[in-house]
Coordinates of all heavy atoms in Angstrom, one line a residue:
M1 N -7.9 -11.0 18.9 CA -7.5 -9.8 18.2 C -8.6 -9.5 17.1 O -9.0 -10.5 16.4 CB -6.2 -9.9 17.6 CG -5.7 -8.7 16.8 SD -4.1 -8.8 16.1 CE -3.1 -8.8 17.5
F2 N -9.0 -8.3 17.0 CA -9.9 -7.9 15.9 C -9.3 -6.9 15.0 O -8.3 -6.3 15.3 CB -11.2 -7.3 16.6 CG -12.0 -8.2 17.4 CD1 -11.8 -8.3 18.8 CD2 -12.9 -9.1 16.8 CE1 -12.5 -9.2 19.5 CE2 -13.6 -10.0 17.6 CZ -13.4 -10.1 18.9
I3 N -9.9 -6.8 13.8 CA -9.4 -5.9 12.8 C -10.5 -5.1 12.2 O -11.6 -5.6 12.0 CB -8.6 -6.6 11.7 CG1 -7.8 -5.6 10.9 CG2 -9.5 -7.5 10.9 CD1 -6.7 -6.3 10.1
L4 N -10.3 -3.8 12.0 CA -11.3 -2.9 11.3 C -10.7 -2.4 10.1 O -9.5 -2.0 10.1 CB -11.7 -1.7 12.2 CG -12.6 -2.0 13.4 CD1 -12.6 -0.7 14.3 CD2 -13.9 -2.4 13.0
Q5 N -11.4 -2.3 9.0 CA -11.0 -1.5 7.9 C -11.7 -0.2 7.9 O -12.9 -0.1 8.1 CB -11.3 -2.2 6.5 CG -10.8 -1.4 5.4 CD -11.0 -2.0 4.0 OE1 -11.6 -3.0 3.9 NE2 -10.5 -1.3 3.0
I6 N -10.8 0.9 7.9 CA -11.3 2.2 8.1 C -11.1 3.0 6.8 O -10.0 2.9 6.2 CB -10.6 3.0 9.2 CG1 -10.6 2.2 10.5 CG2 -11.1 4.4 9.4 CD1 -12.0 2.0 11.1
R7 N -12.1 3.7 6.3 CA -11.9 4.6 5.1 C -11.8 6.0 5.6 O -12.7 6.5 6.4 CB -13.1 4.4 4.2 CG -12.8 5.2 2.9 CD -14.0 5.2 1.9 NE -15.1 6.0 2.4 CZ -16.3 5.5 2.5 NH1 -16.7 4.3 2.1 NH2 -17.3 6.3 3.0
L8 N -10.8 6.7 5.2 CA -10.5 8.1 5.6 C -10.7 9.0 4.4 O -10.2 8.7 3.4 CB -9.1 8.2 6.2 CG -8.8 7.4 7.4 CD1 -7.3 7.3 7.6 CD2 -9.5 7.9 8.6
D9 N -11.6 10.0 4.6 CA -11.9 10.9 3.5 C -11.5 12.3 3.9 O -12.0 12.8 4.9 CB -13.4 10.9 3.2 CG -13.8 9.6 2.6 OD1 -13.2 9.1 1.7 OD2 -14.8 9.0 3.2
L10 N -10.5 12.9 3.2 CA -10.2 14.3 3.4 C -11.2 15.2 2.6 O -11.4 15.0 1.4 CB -8.8 14.6 2.9 CG -8.3 16.0 3.0 CD1 -8.2 16.5 4.4 CD2 -6.9 16.2 2.3
Q11 N -11.9 16.0 3.4 CA -12.9 16.9 2.8 C -12.3 18.0 1.9 O -11.3 18.6 2.2 CB -13.8 17.5 3.9 CG -14.5 16.5 4.7 CD -15.5 15.7 3.9 OE1 -16.4 16.2 3.4 NE2 -15.1 14.4 3.7
E12 N -12.9 18.2 0.8 CA -12.4 19.3 -0.1 C -12.7 20.6 0.5 O -13.5 20.8 1.4 CB -13.1 19.2 -1.5 CG -12.9 17.8 -2.1 CD -13.0 17.9 -3.6 OE1 -13.1 19.0 -4.2 OE2 -13.0 16.8 -4.2
S13 N -11.9 21.6 0.1 CA -11.9 22.9 0.7 C -11.5 24.0 -0.3 O -10.8 23.7 -1.2 CB -11.0 22.9 1.9 OG -10.9 24.2 2.5
L14 N -12.0 25.2 0.0 CA -11.5 26.3 -0.8 C -10.1 26.8 -0.5 O -9.5 27.5 -1.2 CB -12.5 27.5 -0.6 CG -14.0 27.3 -1.0 CD1 -14.8 28.5 -0.6 CD2 -14.1 27.0 -2.5
Y15 N -9.6 26.3 0.7 CA -8.3 26.7 1.2 C -7.1 25.9 0.6 O -6.0 26.3 0.8 CB -8.3 26.6 2.7 CG -9.3 27.5 3.3 CD1 -10.4 26.9 3.9 CD2 -9.2 28.9 3.3 CE1 -11.4 27.7 4.5 CE2 -10.2 29.7 3.8 CZ -11.3 29.1 4.5 OH -12.3 29.9 5.0
Y16 N -7.4 24.8 0.0 CA -6.3 23.9 -0.5 C -6.8 23.1 -1.7 O -8.0 22.9 -1.9 CB -5.7 23.0 0.6 CG -6.7 22.2 1.3 CD1 -7.1 20.9 0.8 CD2 -7.2 22.6 2.5 CE1 -8.0 20.1 1.5 CE2 -8.1 21.8 3.2 CZ -8.5 20.6 2.7 OH -9.4 19.8 3.3
R17 N -5.8 22.6 -2.4 CA -6.0 21.7 -3.5 C -5.5 20.3 -3.1 O -4.3 20.2 -2.7 CB -5.4 22.2 -4.8 CG -5.6 21.3 -6.0 CD -5.2 22.0 -7.3 NE -3.9 22.6 -7.2 CZ -2.8 22.0 -7.7 NH1 -2.8 20.9 -8.3 NH2 -1.6 22.6 -7.6
I18 N -6.2 19.3 -3.3 CA -5.7 17.9 -2.9 C -5.0 17.3 -4.1 O -5.6 17.2 -5.2 CB -6.9 17.0 -2.5 CG1 -7.7 17.6 -1.4 CG2 -6.4 15.6 -2.1 CD1 -9.0 16.9 -1.0
L19 N -3.7 16.9 -3.9 CA -2.9 16.3 -5.0 C -3.1 14.8 -5.0 O -2.9 14.2 -6.1 CB -1.5 16.7 -4.8 CG -1.1 18.2 -4.9 CD1 0.4 18.4 -4.7 CD2 -1.6 18.8 -6.2
S20 N -3.2 14.2 -3.9 CA -3.3 12.7 -3.8 C -4.8 12.3 -3.8 O -5.7 13.2 -3.9 CB -2.6 12.3 -2.5 OG -3.3 12.8 -1.4
N21 N -5.0 11.1 -3.7 CA -6.4 10.5 -3.6 C -7.0 11.1 -2.3 O -6.4 11.0 -1.2 CB -6.3 9.0 -3.6 CG -7.7 8.4 -3.7 OD1 -8.7 9.1 -3.6 ND2 -7.7 7.1 -4.0
S22 N -8.2 11.6 -2.3 CA -8.8 12.2 -1.1 C -9.4 11.1 -0.2 O -9.9 11.4 0.8 CB -9.9 13.2 -1.5 OG -10.9 12.6 -2.2
S23 N -9.4 9.9 -0.7 CA -10.0 8.8 0.1 C -8.9 7.7 0.2 O -8.3 7.3 -0.8 CB -11.2 8.2 -0.5 OG -11.8 7.2 0.3
Q24 N -8.7 7.2 1.5 CA -7.7 6.1 1.7 C -8.3 5.1 2.7 O -9.0 5.5 3.6 CB -6.4 6.7 2.2 CG -5.7 7.6 1.3 CD -4.3 8.0 1.9 OE1 -3.6 7.2 2.5 NE2 -3.9 9.3 1.6
S25 N -8.0 3.9 2.5 CA -8.4 2.8 3.4 C -7.2 2.2 4.1 O -6.2 2.0 3.5 CB -9.2 1.7 2.7 OG -10.4 2.3 2.2
V26 N -7.4 1.9 5.4 CA -6.4 1.2 6.2 C -7.0 0.2 7.0 O -8.2 0.3 7.4 CB -5.6 2.2 7.1 CG1 -4.8 3.2 6.3 CG2 -6.5 3.0 8.0
C27 N -6.2 -0.9 7.3 CA -6.7 -1.9 8.2 C -6.0 -1.7 9.5 O -4.8 -1.5 9.6 CB -6.3 -3.3 7.7 SG -7.2 -3.7 6.1
V28 N -6.8 -1.7 10.6 CA -6.2 -1.4 11.9 C -6.6 -2.5 12.9 O -7.8 -2.8 13.1 CB -6.8 0.0 12.5 CG1 -6.2 0.3 13.8 CG2 -6.5 1.1 11.5
C29 N -5.6 -3.1 13.5 CA -5.9 -4.1 14.5 C -6.1 -3.5 15.8 O -5.7 -2.3 16.1 CB -4.7 -5.1 14.6 SG -4.5 -6.1 13.1
S30 N -6.7 -4.2 16.7 CA -6.9 -3.7 18.1 C -5.6 -3.3 18.7 O -4.6 -4.0 18.5 CB -7.7 -4.7 18.9 OG -7.0 -6.0 19.0
K31 N -5.6 -2.2 19.5 CA -4.5 -1.7 20.2 C -3.3 -1.3 19.2 O -2.2 -1.3 19.6 CB -3.9 -2.7 21.2 CG -5.0 -3.0 22.3 CD -4.4 -3.9 23.3 CE -5.5 -4.3 24.3 NZ -5.1 -5.0 25.4
E32 N -3.7 -0.9 18.0 CA -2.7 -0.4 17.1 C -3.1 1.0 16.6 O -4.3 1.4 16.7 CB -2.6 -1.3 15.8 CG -1.8 -2.5 16.0 CD -1.6 -3.2 14.6 OE1 -2.1 -2.7 13.6 OE2 -0.9 -4.2 14.6
A33 N -2.2 1.8 16.0 CA -2.5 3.0 15.4 C -1.9 3.0 14.0 O -0.9 2.3 13.8 CB -1.9 4.2 16.3
R34 N -2.5 3.8 13.1 CA -2.0 3.9 11.8 C -1.9 5.4 11.4 O -2.7 6.1 11.9 CB -2.9 3.1 10.8 CG -2.9 1.7 10.9 CD -1.6 1.0 10.5 NE -1.6 -0.3 10.9 CZ -1.3 -1.3 10.0 NH1 -1.1 -1.1 8.8 NH2 -1.3 -2.5 10.5
S35 N -1.1 5.7 10.5 CA -1.0 7.0 9.9 C -1.2 7.0 8.4 O -0.9 6.0 7.8 CB 0.4 7.6 10.1 OG 0.7 7.8 11.5
V36 N -1.8 8.0 7.9 CA -2.0 8.2 6.4 C -1.5 9.5 6.0 O -1.3 10.4 6.9 CB -3.5 8.0 6.0 CG1 -3.9 6.6 6.3 CG2 -4.4 9.0 6.6
R37 N -1.3 9.7 4.8 CA -0.8 11.0 4.3 C -1.6 11.4 3.1 O -1.9 10.7 2.2 CB 0.7 10.8 3.8 CG 1.3 12.0 3.3 CD 2.7 11.6 2.8 NE 3.4 12.9 2.5 CZ 4.7 13.0 2.7 NH1 5.4 12.0 3.2 NH2 5.3 14.2 2.4
F38 N -2.0 12.7 3.2 CA -2.7 13.3 2.1 C -1.9 14.5 1.6 O -1.4 15.3 2.4 CB -4.1 13.9 2.5 CG -5.1 12.9 3.0 CD1 -5.3 12.6 4.3 CD2 -5.8 12.2 2.0 CE1 -6.2 11.7 4.7 CE2 -6.7 11.2 2.4 CZ -7.0 11.0 3.7
N39 N -1.6 14.5 0.3 CA -0.8 15.6 -0.2 C -1.7 16.8 -0.7 O -2.6 16.5 -1.5 CB 0.0 15.1 -1.4 CG 1.0 14.1 -1.0 OD1 1.7 14.2 0.0 ND2 1.2 13.0 -1.8
I40 N -1.4 18.0 -0.2 CA -2.3 19.1 -0.5 C -1.3 20.3 -0.8 O -0.2 20.3 -0.5 CB -3.2 19.5 0.7 CG1 -2.4 20.0 1.9 CG2 -4.2 18.4 1.0 CD1 -3.2 20.7 2.9
V41 N -1.9 21.3 -1.6 CA -1.2 22.5 -1.8 C -2.1 23.6 -1.3 O -3.3 23.8 -1.8 CB -1.0 22.7 -3.3 CG1 -0.4 24.1 -3.6 CG2 -0.1 21.7 -3.9
P42 N -1.7 24.4 -0.3 CA -2.5 25.5 0.3 C -2.6 26.6 -0.8 O -1.7 26.8 -1.6 CB -1.7 25.9 1.5 CG -0.6 24.9 1.7 CD -0.4 24.2 0.5
K43 N -3.7 27.3 -0.7 CA -4.0 28.4 -1.7 C -3.6 29.7 -1.1 O -3.5 30.7 -1.8 CB -5.4 28.3 -2.1 CG -5.7 27.1 -3.0 CD -7.2 27.1 -3.5 CE -7.4 25.9 -4.3 NZ -8.8 25.9 -4.8
K44 N -3.5 29.8 0.3 CA -3.2 31.1 0.9 C -2.4 30.8 2.1 O -2.4 29.7 2.7 CB -4.5 31.8 1.4 CG -5.4 32.3 0.2 CD -6.5 33.1 0.7 CE -7.3 33.6 -0.5 NZ -8.3 34.5 -0.1
L45 N -1.7 31.9 2.5 CA -0.9 31.8 3.8 C -1.8 32.2 4.9 O -2.3 33.3 5.0 CB 0.3 32.8 3.7 CG 1.3 32.5 2.7 CD1 2.4 33.6 2.7 CD2 2.0 31.1 2.9
R46 N -2.2 31.3 5.8 CA -3.1 31.5 6.9 C -3.3 30.2 7.6 O -2.8 29.2 7.2 CB -4.4 32.1 6.4 CG -5.1 31.1 5.4 CD -6.5 31.5 5.0 NE -7.3 31.3 6.2 CZ -8.6 31.6 6.2 NH1 -9.2 32.1 5.2 NH2 -9.3 31.4 7.3
E47 N -4.1 30.2 8.6 CA -4.6 28.9 9.2 C -5.7 28.3 8.3 O -6.6 29.0 8.0 CB -5.1 29.1 10.6 CG -4.1 29.2 11.7 CD -4.7 29.2 13.0 OE1 -6.0 29.3 13.2 OE2 -4.0 29.0 14.0
I48 N -5.5 27.1 7.9 CA -6.5 26.4 7.1 C -7.1 25.2 7.8 O -6.4 24.5 8.4 CB -5.9 26.0 5.7 CG1 -4.8 25.0 5.8 CG2 -5.5 27.2 4.9 CD1 -4.3 24.5 4.5
P49 N -8.4 25.1 7.8 CA -9.0 23.9 8.4 C -8.9 22.7 7.5 O -9.2 22.7 6.3 CB -10.5 24.4 8.6 CG -10.7 25.3 7.5 CD -9.4 26.0 7.2
L50 N -8.5 21.6 8.1 CA -8.5 20.3 7.5 C -9.5 19.4 8.2 O -9.4 19.2 9.4 CB -7.1 19.6 7.6 CG -6.0 20.4 6.9 CD1 -4.6 19.8 7.3 CD2 -6.1 20.3 5.4
T51 N -10.4 18.8 7.5 CA -11.4 17.9 8.0 C -11.2 16.5 7.4 O -11.2 16.4 6.2 CB -12.8 18.4 7.8 OG1 -13.0 19.7 8.4 CG2 -13.9 17.4 8.4
V52 N -11.1 15.5 8.3 CA -11.0 14.1 7.8 C -12.2 13.3 8.5 O -12.4 13.4 9.7 CB -9.7 13.4 8.2 CG1 -9.6 12.0 7.8 CG2 -8.5 14.2 7.5
I53 N -12.9 12.5 7.7 CA -14.0 11.7 8.2 C -13.5 10.2 8.1 O -13.0 9.8 7.1 CB -15.2 11.9 7.3 CG1 -15.7 13.3 7.5 CG2 -16.3 10.9 7.8 CD1 -16.9 13.7 6.6
A54 N -13.7 9.5 9.2 CA -13.3 8.1 9.3 C -14.6 7.3 9.4 O -15.5 7.6 10.2 CB -12.4 7.9 10.5
K55 N -14.7 6.2 8.6 CA -15.8 5.3 8.7 C -15.4 3.9 8.5 O -14.5 3.6 7.7 CB -16.8 5.7 7.5 CG -18.0 4.8 7.5 CD -19.0 5.2 6.4 CE -20.1 4.2 6.3 NZ -21.3 4.7 6.8
D56 N -15.9 3.0 9.4 CA -15.5 1.6 9.2 C -16.3 1.0 8.1 O -17.5 1.4 7.8 CB -15.6 0.8 10.5 CG -17.1 0.6 10.9 OD1 -17.9 1.5 10.7 OD2 -17.4 -0.5 11.5
V57 N -15.7 0.2 7.3 CA -16.3 -0.4 6.1 C -16.2 -1.9 6.1 O -15.2 -2.5 6.7 CB -15.7 0.1 4.8 CG1 -16.1 1.6 4.6 CG2 -14.2 0.0 4.7
N58 N -17.1 -2.6 5.5 CA -17.0 -4.1 5.4 C -16.3 -4.4 4.2 O -16.7 -4.2 3.1 CB -18.5 -4.6 5.4 CG -18.5 -6.1 5.5 OD1 -17.5 -6.7 5.7 ND2 -19.7 -6.7 5.3
S59 N -15.2 -5.1 4.3 CA -14.3 -5.5 3.2 C -13.5 -6.7 3.6 O -13.2 -6.9 4.7 CB -13.4 -4.3 2.8 OG -12.6 -4.7 1.8
S60 N -13.1 -7.4 2.6 CA -12.3 -8.6 2.8 C -10.8 -8.3 2.5 O -10.0 -9.2 2.3 CB -12.8 -9.8 1.9 OG -12.7 -9.4 0.6
V61 N -10.5 -7.0 2.4 CA -9.1 -6.6 2.0 C -8.1 -6.9 3.2 O -7.0 -7.2 2.9 CB -9.1 -5.1 1.7 CG1 -7.7 -4.6 1.5 CG2 -9.9 -4.8 0.5
C62 N -8.6 -6.8 4.4 CA -7.7 -7.1 5.5 C -7.3 -8.5 5.7 O -7.9 -9.4 5.0 CB -8.4 -6.6 6.8 SG -8.8 -4.8 6.8
D63 N -6.4 -8.8 6.5 CA -5.9 -10.2 6.8 C -7.0 -11.1 7.1 O -7.8 -10.9 8.0 CB -4.9 -10.1 7.9 CG -4.2 -11.5 8.1 OD1 -4.5 -12.4 7.4 OD2 -3.4 -11.5 9.1
E64 N -7.1 -12.2 6.3 CA -8.2 -13.2 6.5 C -8.0 -14.0 7.8 O -9.0 -14.7 8.2 CB -8.4 -14.1 5.3 CG -8.8 -13.3 4.1 CD -8.9 -14.2 2.9 OE1 -9.1 -15.4 3.0 OE2 -8.9 -13.6 1.8
G65 N -6.8 -14.0 8.4 CA -6.6 -14.9 9.5 C -7.1 -14.2 10.8 O -7.1 -14.8 11.9
I66 N -7.5 -13.0 10.7 CA -8.0 -12.2 11.9 C -9.5 -11.9 11.7 O -9.9 -11.5 10.6 CB -7.2 -11.0 12.1 CG1 -5.7 -11.3 12.3 CG2 -7.6 -10.2 13.3 CD1 -4.8 -10.1 12.3
E67 N -10.2 -12.0 12.8 CA -11.7 -11.7 12.7 C -11.9 -10.2 12.4 O -11.4 -9.4 13.1 CB -12.4 -12.1 13.9 CG -13.9 -11.9 13.9 CD -14.6 -12.3 15.1 OE1 -14.0 -12.9 16.0 OE2 -15.8 -12.0 15.3
Q68 N -12.6 -9.9 11.4 CA -12.9 -8.5 11.0 C -14.2 -8.1 11.6 O -15.2 -8.8 11.6 CB -12.9 -8.3 9.5 CG -13.1 -6.8 9.2 CD -12.9 -6.6 7.7 OE1 -12.4 -7.4 7.0 NE2 -13.4 -5.4 7.2
M69 N -14.2 -6.9 12.2 CA -15.4 -6.3 12.8 C -15.9 -5.2 12.0 O -15.2 -4.5 11.3 CB -15.1 -5.8 14.2 CG -14.7 -6.8 15.2 SD -14.4 -6.0 16.9 CE -16.1 -5.5 17.3
V70 N -17.2 -5.0 12.0 CA -17.9 -3.9 11.4 C -18.8 -3.3 12.4 O -19.8 -4.0 12.8 CB -18.7 -4.3 10.1 CG1 -19.4 -3.0 9.5 CG2 -17.8 -4.9 9.1
L71 N -18.5 -2.1 12.9 CA -19.3 -1.5 14.0 C -20.3 -0.5 13.5 O -21.2 -0.2 14.2 CB -18.3 -0.8 15.0 CG -17.3 -1.7 15.6 CD1 -16.3 -0.9 16.4 CD2 -17.9 -2.8 16.5
G72 N -20.2 -0.1 12.2 CA -21.1 0.9 11.7 C -20.9 2.3 12.3 O -21.9 3.0 12.5
V73 N -19.7 2.7 12.5 CA -19.5 4.0 13.2 C -18.7 4.9 12.2 O -18.0 4.5 11.3 CB -18.6 3.8 14.5 CG1 -19.4 3.0 15.5 CG2 -17.3 3.2 14.2
T74 N -19.0 6.2 12.4 CA -18.3 7.2 11.7 C -17.9 8.3 12.7 O -18.5 8.6 13.6 CB -19.3 7.9 10.7 OG1 -19.8 6.8 9.8 CG2 -18.7 9.0 9.8
D75 N -16.7 8.9 12.4 CA -16.2 10.0 13.2 C -15.5 11.0 12.3 O -15.1 10.7 11.2 CB -15.2 9.5 14.3 CG -15.0 10.5 15.4 OD1 -15.7 11.5 15.5 OD2 -14.1 10.2 16.2
A76 N -15.5 12.2 12.7 CA -14.8 13.3 12.0 C -14.0 14.1 12.9 O -14.3 14.3 14.1 CB -15.8 14.1 11.3
V77 N -12.9 14.7 12.4 CA -12.0 15.6 13.2 C -11.6 16.7 12.2 O -11.3 16.5 11.1 CB -10.8 14.8 13.8 CG1 -9.9 14.3 12.7 CG2 -10.1 15.7 14.7
T78 N -11.6 17.9 12.8 CA -11.1 19.1 12.1 C -10.0 19.7 12.9 O -10.1 19.9 14.1 CB -12.3 20.1 11.9 OG1 -13.3 19.5 11.2 CG2 -11.8 21.4 11.2
R79 N -8.9 20.0 12.2 CA -7.7 20.6 12.8 C -7.3 21.8 11.9 O -7.5 21.7 10.7 CB -6.6 19.6 12.9 CG -6.8 18.5 13.9 CD -6.7 18.9 15.3 NE -6.7 17.8 16.2 CZ -7.8 17.3 16.8 NH1 -9.0 17.9 16.6 NH2 -7.7 16.3 17.6
K80 N -6.7 22.7 12.5 CA -6.2 23.9 11.7 C -4.7 23.7 11.5 O -3.9 23.3 12.4 CB -6.4 25.2 12.5 CG -7.9 25.5 12.5 CD -8.1 26.9 13.2 CE -9.6 27.2 13.2 NZ -9.9 28.4 13.8
L81 N -4.3 23.9 10.3 CA -2.9 23.9 9.8 C -2.4 25.3 9.5 O -3.0 26.0 8.7 CB -2.8 23.0 8.6 CG -1.4 22.9 8.0 CD1 -0.4 22.2 8.9 CD2 -1.5 22.2 6.6
L82 N -1.3 25.7 10.2 CA -0.8 27.0 9.9 C 0.1 27.0 8.7 O 1.1 26.3 8.8 CB -0.1 27.6 11.2 CG 0.5 29.0 11.0 CD1 -0.5 30.0 10.7 CD2 1.3 29.3 12.2
V83 N -0.2 27.7 7.7 CA 0.6 27.8 6.5 C 1.3 29.2 6.5 O 0.6 30.2 6.5 CB -0.2 27.7 5.2 CG1 0.7 27.8 4.0 CG2 -1.0 26.4 5.2
E84 N 2.6 29.2 6.6 CA 3.4 30.4 6.7 C 4.7 30.3 6.0 O 5.1 29.2 5.7 CB 3.6 30.8 8.2 CG 4.4 29.9 8.9 CD 4.6 30.2 10.4 OE1 4.0 31.2 10.8 OE2 5.2 29.5 11.1
V85 N 5.3 31.4 5.7 CA 6.6 31.5 5.0 C 7.6 31.7 6.1 O 7.5 32.5 7.0 CB 6.6 32.6 4.0 CG1 8.0 32.8 3.4 CG2 5.6 32.5 2.9
R86 N 8.6 30.9 6.0 CA 9.8 31.0 6.9 C 11.0 31.2 6.1 O 11.2 30.4 5.1 CB 9.9 29.8 7.8 CG 8.8 29.7 8.8 CD 9.3 29.1 10.0 NE 8.2 29.1 11.0 CZ 8.2 28.5 12.1 NH1 9.3 27.8 12.4 NH2 7.2 28.5 12.9
V87 N 11.8 32.1 6.4 CA 13.0 32.4 5.7 C 14.2 32.2 6.6 O 14.3 32.7 7.7 CB 13.0 33.9 5.1 CG1 14.3 34.2 4.4 CG2 11.8 34.1 4.3
W88 N 15.2 31.4 6.1 CA 16.4 31.2 6.8 C 17.5 31.8 5.9 O 17.6 31.5 4.7 CB 16.7 29.7 7.0 CG 15.9 29.1 8.0 CD1 16.0 29.1 9.3 CD2 14.7 28.3 7.8 NE1 15.0 28.4 10.0 CE2 14.2 27.9 9.0 CE3 13.9 28.0 6.7 CZ2 13.0 27.1 9.2 CZ3 12.8 27.2 6.8 CH2 12.3 26.8 8.1
L89 N 18.3 32.6 6.5 CA 19.4 33.2 5.8 C 20.7 32.5 6.2 O 21.0 32.3 7.4 CB 19.6 34.7 6.2 CG 18.4 35.6 5.8 CD1 18.6 37.0 6.3 CD2 18.2 35.6 4.3
M90 N 21.4 32.1 5.2 CA 22.7 31.5 5.4 C 23.8 32.5 5.2 O 23.9 33.1 4.1 CB 22.9 30.3 4.5 CG 22.0 29.2 4.9 SD 22.2 27.7 3.8 CE 23.9 27.3 4.2
L91 N 24.6 32.8 6.2 CA 25.6 33.8 6.0 C 27.0 33.0 5.7 O 27.3 32.1 6.4 CB 25.8 34.6 7.3 CG 24.5 35.4 7.7 CD1 24.8 36.1 9.0 CD2 24.2 36.4 6.6
E92 N 27.6 33.5 4.7 CA 28.9 32.8 4.3 C 30.0 33.7 4.9 O 30.1 34.9 4.7 CB 29.0 32.8 2.8 CG 30.2 32.1 2.3 CD 30.3 32.0 0.8 OE1 29.2 31.8 0.2 OE2 31.4 32.1 0.3
R93 N 30.9 33.0 5.6 CA 32.1 33.7 6.1 C 33.1 33.7 5.0 O 33.5 32.7 4.5 CB 32.6 33.0 7.4 CG 31.6 33.1 8.5 CD 32.1 32.4 9.7 NE 33.2 33.2 10.2 CZ 33.8 32.9 11.4 NH1 33.4 31.9 12.1 NH2 34.8 33.6 11.8
T94 N 33.6 34.8 4.8 CA 34.7 34.9 3.8 C 36.0 35.3 4.5 O 36.0 36.0 5.5 CB 34.4 36.0 2.7 OG1 34.2 37.2 3.4 CG2 33.2 35.6 1.9
R95 N 37.1 34.8 4.0 CA 38.4 35.1 4.6 C 39.0 36.2 3.8 O 39.0 36.2 2.6 CB 39.3 33.9 4.6 CG 38.8 32.9 5.5 CD 39.8 31.7 5.6 NE 39.3 30.7 6.4 CZ 39.9 29.6 6.7 NH1 41.1 29.4 6.2 NH2 39.4 28.7 7.5
L96 N 39.6 37.2 4.5 CA 40.3 38.3 3.8 C 41.7 38.0 3.6 O 42.4 37.3 4.2 CB 40.1 39.6 4.6 CG 38.7 40.0 4.8 CD1 38.7 41.2 5.7 CD2 38.1 40.4 3.4

């Protein structure tokens, strides 16, 4: 089993304000998946592009009992997030 420490960077944008740290690191073992959360506030109602860059880093933060790999790779992904207003009306039934 191998482990990689991955640094994820949410790119700044004119379309949103980042409330959380824009950079997060996670340790990922082989055949595993991890999720991270970035808190943002959209500035407009529309589709906004979100770009995250992932890079493996050399660090001793991960579990020392597992061999850590450093591949020297970087990848990026951009996805669109639809920001819209939804209104739900609750109708109250009254008895006469």
Side-chain angles (χ1 to χ4, degrees):
M1 180 182 291
F2 293 98
I3 192 165
L4 286 172
Q5 182 176 3
I6 306 295
R7 187 182 71 231
L8 300 163
D9 296 308
L10 176 63
Q11 297 300 290
E12 299 205 11
S13 172
L14 299 174
Y15 300 109
Y16 54 84
R17 183 169 47 100
I18 303 172
L19 298 178
S20 61
N21 191 346
S22 65
S23 182
Q24 297 185 35
S25 292
V26 293
C27 295
V28 181
C29 290
S30 56
K31 299 185 182 183
E32 279 189 1
R34 295 288 170 127
S35 297
V36 297
R37 180 183 192 144
F38 294 102
N39 295 319
I40 64 168
V41 175
K43 294 182 179 178
K44 293 187 178 188
L45 298 176
R46 58 171 291 177
E47 277 191 349
I48 59 172
L50 298 167
T51 300
V52 176
I53 297 174
K55 179 179 174 106
D56 70 325
V57 293
N58 187 9
S59 174
S60 60
V61 173
C62 298
D63 186 1
E64 293 180 20
I66 301 173
E67 183 179 351
Q68 184 172 344
M69 295 182 67
V70 178
L71 301 174
V73 296
T74 301
D75 196 9
V77 64
T78 300
R79 296 283 190 264
K80 290 184 180 180
L81 174 68
L82 178 60
V83 179
E84 62 185 0
V85 174
R86 294 213 175 170
V87 178
W88 287 278
L89 297 176
M90 294 181 62
L91 301 176
E92 183 179 321
R93 293 179 71 170
T94 57
R95 293 185 181 183
L96 297 175

